[in-house]
Amino acid sequence: METESVKYCTFEAAGRLFGVPLIDIKEITAETNYTCIPHAPECVSGYVNIRGNIILGLDLKQILALPAKEEDVSKRMVIFKSTVGPAFGLLVDEIGEIVSVSSQDITSDSTSIGSELQGLSGLVQNICRLPNQLLVVLNPRKFLPIIEKELYQPSR
Amino acid sequence: MVNTPHADFVLESREHLQLLERSMLALEKATSPEARNACIDSSLRAVHSLKGNAGFLGFQSVQRLAHATESVLENFRNHVHSPPIAVVEAILLASDRLSSMIEDLGFSESHDISELIKTLHALAVDTSDPVQNAPKNVIPINLRMPSPPASVVPLLDSIRTLGSLRESQLTQVDLQTPTANWSVAELRLQGRLHTDRSVIEVQRHLSQTGAAVPWRDLGANEISGLNAQQLLQHLAAVQGELVYEPTRLDLGLPVQPIVWNQAVSDLPIQPIVKVTPIVHVTPIVHVTGSPTNHPENIQPKPIQQVDETVATTPPVKTSSNELVIHQEPIASEDRKEIVSKPTGDAATNSSPTEKTTSLRIPVDLLDRLMNLVGELTLIRNQSLLAFEEIEGTSRAVIQRLNSVTTELQDAVLKTRMQPVGHLFGRFPRMVRDLARQLGKQVELVMVGQEVELDKTVLEQLSDPLIHLIRNSIDHGLETPEVRIRSDKPSVGRVTLSATAADGQVIIEIRDDGRGIDPNAVRAKVLALGLKTEAELQKISSKELYSYILLPGFSTARQVSDVSGRGVGMDVVKTNVERLEGSLTIDSAPGMGTSMILRVPLTLAIIPCLIVTVGKERFAVPQRGLEEIVCLHPGGESFIEHSYDSELLRLRDVLLPVVRFSEALRCKSTFCAETKLAILAANSPADRDPQRIEYILVLRTKGRKFGLLVDDVRGTEEVVVKPMHPSLRKIGIFAGATLMGDGRVALIANIDGIAEHADCYGVEPPQSSGILNRDPAEVHRVLLFEFGPKELFALPLVQVRRIESIAMNQVEYIGDQAFITIDGVSTRIIRLDKFLNVSTCEQSPMMHLLLPKFVKEPVGILVSRIVDTESLSIQMQEASIEDPGILGTAIVRERLTLFLDIQYLREGIFGRARALSTSQSREVGLVSSPQVKATLDVVPHILLVDDTPFFREVVRRYFERDGFVVTTAIDGNDGMRKLAEGDFDLVVSDIEMPNLDGWGFCQAARKAGYKTPFMALTSLSKTENSARAIECGFDGFEEKLDHDRLIHSVRKMLGLIAEEQQDGN
């Protein structure tokens, strides 16, 4: 291929398609045995044990304030590499395909994002034009600062 | 740290410099030339390796400085007298500089070391051993020794009478021989003789010994390798023998070759021995008989054999002696490989030069190992469950997996442990410098360096310890003049000791200085308004000294460079507490101060109580846990409401209660409204009558509160993992851990919970003091009944356990009843048979109380266990005339009888047997009637104990053994009684009011009493025996162990001969 392309791992949350750069991902797990952490912000699902390491799970839908469905059972967690942040992962509804997007189809213009995501500026890294829909690419480095901020301003 | 060659260089260099420093410090103290040489040798090795490494990596400044240091050391090698202080000082300075250069490698070139190098060069040029007279002549010596090795010794001795032999080498040389089955060798000595005599004199002398033959170089092979000890071991290992054989005539040499012979028929190898310098070759090889010369005899025939003393000969005496061995086949083809290690470390036995043999492993690798082992444990647990149903071979496999996993876990945990010696190692230098700076003379004694501690704990202990040692030297120790004036040796002593006990490591820093003036502390406490005069009257000395640990509290009159600014002790305390440890101070004015640090072995694993709230499990660290109160519905205790908080009446204290569930639910710190809302939600009237609640009584930072949880699951040792960095702000948790089922559980932070709930708790009512000061000590006693009329009591410390027994299992022999417990036939004591008490109706199930400190299998039959009770035993002695009753007390408004277990026991087994069974292997024990008969005067014992109960128990022990006993209630009383009477033995409790046992013994010793003293206490022997000896005690026994006590007392009184004890 002539043009450069980036690979994204896509996943669904509340019926929407999101993605994160594949290069940031360490692994994907189906472990759902969470221990909830009192006093932590709402969007923290809790701790989970992945082969002896304790990983902090964050709930994507809570962070994005997307509606949660009752029957969400088959949750998966995308765990990020330690270069992204210490031992954490993102809970999503469903893992989608890995897509390869050529650089010309990636925009960093966030004005086209739905209004409910506007408040979380910085969290959205790019929008990609896929053949049949748009892919919202999230910046995984922005997740932990969000919960830290929330801990320091509990009134929010 | 990045794992580059430089990182390794830094780590290695640190070790070299540490060794250099240690060796220099040891050098200062070394008294013999041999010891000094060992120190210099080890420092040379360290500097040399450092120089080599630095050169290899291109750190030129480091290399130059190391080189200069090496030259200085080189110069003082083999000096008879110790190098001047300036040399040690300069080398230490160089070591410091090297260390700072190495820590800052990138800029090591920019250090200005020219001055330092100049100083070092000056010292290096100054070769004169100032005290030793420079010898007139240096005569090179080349000797061949025709009849080794027996004749070497006198030769060397005679050379030594001439002067000192330096740079000497002893070499064994092979002489090439035409046939394969025998060989020739000779020993050669080379060196320089420093002597006052002339060359001619020396020559004449040597020729008189008949040893001097012209030196001919025949290509000696000199390979360093084994020292003398290793040579001997080697000889023993291959079971060879040293044989003298006649030499061949045609070589024309009057030599007696040494042949290294494995089998008589073939002679494959032969050693070449090289000794540098020759000092004590004597013990290496002894040859029986005298060497004989048979020049005509060409047949290889063993003439003499080395006798067995070879293997048992003591090792070469001087450590600088290097004995090196080299093997080389002569004409024989079959080359045998023989171990030849190029260590050359002859000083392995001397402590300052001990080598650290270890492997460096990055800590994160260890952490990963820990994680994986944890995961393996989980898999094991799952397998155990999965295979539980299946019979057959798989079970054995799983069981092996089980045991291997457990052992692996232990091993991995151990990798984190390091000996405290690593930490202590840096103190001698510090103490030395500090002592010089302050003009004091200090001797640092370090004990227990092998005690191991988690690496992380060890690292964090460094600063607190440095501070405490500084304090001891600066404030504690007096100047030599003051010390001499107060009858103390001019050299002050600081003892640094580490002991391990009960999962904790206790580090004590003790000095024999002026101690802390309690009046100064009192004055300061008053000045700061911390306590009133009346309150101060009541507190114990330990408690008083604990005020020193408060911020801004320093009694030092002058602020010195080193300490005394009032900051520090509180920082030390905070640091130690952060490690889950504690710090206590004890001091005797004029005698010294001791600071005791207690830290857990590891922070990685802590014992926790697992509790549940709702559906979640939490781990509560047991360290702060005092007790657990279970609230039964309709029980006697329940939660009451005060203005805004819930309280529990716990004995005499109103304990504030925090509901864990509320603390978890409410995200923000409790305010008045939250508290009222909680009260409203949990009104006493709405209590669920079915629900049992648990309150953990927790202690944190001197305050106490109750934490209410739903259920208590048990205790577990958990591996602590820190909270996620993004969640650090959550104060109520200290971390997380993995449970056996693989789920994560949170670890509660007791401090954080108390703060979150805005609960300041109650100050424990001088908890540390209760046991020390209340004359009627609080005991936990077991209350029980036998017959319907009497209530009996026994302190819980005397109870081993209580067993339920079915009466139809009891067997009878005559009127003696027995029952089998733990496979042992146990004699049942019915109280009505021994005491004048009511009998009991037999029911099918009864209890058997098994007493402690009784070796025979006996149990007391009990019809009903009433309760346990904490009470101060105020016994009314002798209100009942029954020898089996120690005394009585009113408990719960009933007259309660305290049993004398020892009496009951003797009633069954008889006195002699009761003692002799426990000491059954001892022959010829003097039993008490004989004691009375054989002694003109009955031994008189002074018993000092503040607790009436124990005083009574022990008094009875002694009196029953035929001694006369006088009692005293504390140390002061003891001193008075000592003055009044003539005692053969003093037995004293330690924890007493007014004057405790330590002080009492010290005072008595100071006053000149030579009476043997025995400490009798409930304190742990391992922790305190050292102190006991220091205070002047001659023995140390635990309370209530009758047999041991009596045995020790008899031994101290000389009624049992020592040999019999040794014969055990």
Side-chain angles (χ1 to χ4, degrees), chain B residues 454-578:
Chain B
D454 190 292
K455 190 176 178 299
T456 45
V457 182
L458 202 63
E459 279 163 2
Q460 292 178 58
L461 265 182
S462 167
D463 285 349
L465 279 182
I466 288 176
H467 194 99
L468 293 178
I469 293 173
R470 281 187 171 168
N471 255 324
S472 288
I473 296 174
D474 190 16
H475 300 324
L477 294 182
E478 313 91 329
T479 53
E481 303 84 60
V482 177
R483 288 183 66 89
I484 290 167
R485 246 182 283 141
S486 41
D487 277 348
K488 288 184 186 178
S490 64
V491 179
R493 176 191 283 239
V494 175
T495 311
L496 187 59
S497 67
T499 40
D502 311 328
Q504 279 191 321
V505 169
I506 298 147
I507 297 180
E508 184 178 6
I509 300 122
R510 165 187 294 273
D511 64 61
D512 63 349
R514 62 169 75 93
I516 303 169
D517 181 6
N519 295 324
V521 180
R522 270 196 202 101
K524 188 96 185 191
V525 170
L526 283 175
L528 292 173
L530 296 168
K531 279 262 177 306
T532 66
E533 190 114 26
E535 283 172 317
L536 276 178
Q537 298 271 311
K538 280 189 265 173
I539 69 176
S540 70
S541 61
K542 249 187 198 165
E543 219 174 315
L544 184 70
Y545 290 130
S546 71
Y547 281 102
I548 296 169
L549 303 174
L550 290 179
F553 202 104
S554 172
T555 57
R557 299 232 169 76
Q558 284 170 331
V559 172
S560 74
D561 245 9
V562 186
S563 44
R565 288 178 214 282
V567 291
M569 282 312 266
D570 62 309
V571 177
V572 171
K573 186 168 180 254
T574 322
N575 281 342
V576 172
E577 276 171 0
R578 196 172 297 149

Side-chain angles (χ1 to χ4, degrees), chain B residues 22 151 339 390 518 577 667 669 713 729 881 905 1055:
Chain B
R22 275 209 306 275
S151 63
V339 198
I390 306 169
E577 276 171 0
K667 283 195 184 185
T669 307
R713 288 285 173 84
K729 197 171 173 279
E881 292 286 324
R905 175 189 174 197
L1055 299 176

Side-chain angles (χ1 to χ4, degrees), chain B residues 198-384:
Chain B
S198 70
V199 179
I200 299 167
E201 269 181 302
V202 172
Q203 265 178 0
R204 192 182 304 139
H205 181 91
L206 288 176
S207 65
Q208 273 165 8
T209 64
V213 196
W215 168 260
R216 284 199 311 177
D217 191 351
L218 288 170
N221 257 308
E222 297 165 15
I223 293 183
S224 353
L226 302 175
N227 63 24
Q229 225 173 337
Q230 285 167 313
L231 169 63
L232 289 173
Q233 280 165 359
H234 188 73
L235 281 170
V238 288
Q239 294 184 323
E241 51 196 16
L242 278 172
V243 186
Y244 280 89
E245 288 200 24
T247 180
R248 269 178 55 148
L249 272 176
D250 51 346
L251 281 165
L253 302 167
V255 289
Q256 283 186 323
I258 295 177
V259 177
W260 173 241
N261 194 349
Q262 243 184 322
V264 183
S265 58
D266 66 330
L267 311 164
I269 31 173
Q270 105 185 105
I272 290 184
V273 182
K274 175 187 157 200
V275 181
T276 358
I278 304 162
V279 189
H280 288 273
V281 193
T282 331
I284 301 177
V285 182
H286 286 281
V287 180
T288 47
S290 64
T292 9
N293 231 338
H294 293 267
E296 293 83 16
N297 194 348
I298 304 183
Q299 288 306 311
K301 190 172 88 186
I303 295 171
Q304 286 178 344
Q305 295 195 345
V306 178
D307 74 4
E308 284 185 351
T309 52
V310 170
T312 55
T313 316
V316 180
K317 215 169 112 194
T318 65
S319 44
S320 56
N321 217 349
E322 233 175 19
L323 185 73
V324 211
I325 196 169
H326 165 68
Q327 290 88 27
E328 190 181 74
I330 327 141
S332 162
E333 305 303 88
D334 61 338
R335 191 180 281 258
K336 293 253 161 105
E337 241 187 56
I338 287 180
V339 198
S340 151
K341 274 196 215 158
T343 55
D345 191 348
T348 37
N349 293 335
S350 58
S351 65
T353 51
E354 244 168 51
K355 270 203 160 181
T356 37
T357 51
S358 54
L359 187 64
R360 290 200 193 86
I361 298 172
V363 176
D364 42 339
L365 180 62
L366 290 183
D367 288 346
R368 243 180 76 202
L369 268 177
M370 281 267 271
N371 280 355
L372 290 174
V373 167
E375 193 63 13
L376 186 63
T377 318
L378 289 184
I379 295 171
R380 176 207 51 196
N381 292 350
Q382 285 162 6
S383 322
L384 284 177

Side-chain angles (χ1 to χ4, degrees), chain B residues 22-59:
Chain B
R22 275 209 306 275
S23 308
M24 291 323 287
L25 294 175
L27 176 67
E28 277 194 317
K29 289 194 188 132
T31 48
S32 66
E34 287 84 13
R36 274 197 291 276
N37 268 341
C39 295
I40 292 197
D41 282 349
S42 69
S43 22
L44 264 173
R45 269 197 302 280
V47 179
H48 188 79
S49 327
L50 176 64
K51 185 179 86 172
N53 291 346
F56 178 69
L57 294 170
F59 296 112

Side-chain angles (χ1 to χ4, degrees), chain B residues 995-1007:
Chain B
L995 181 61
D996 67 12
W998 306 122
F1000 171 45
C1001 187
Q1002 279 175 332
R1005 290 293 181 234
K1006 216 172 176 188

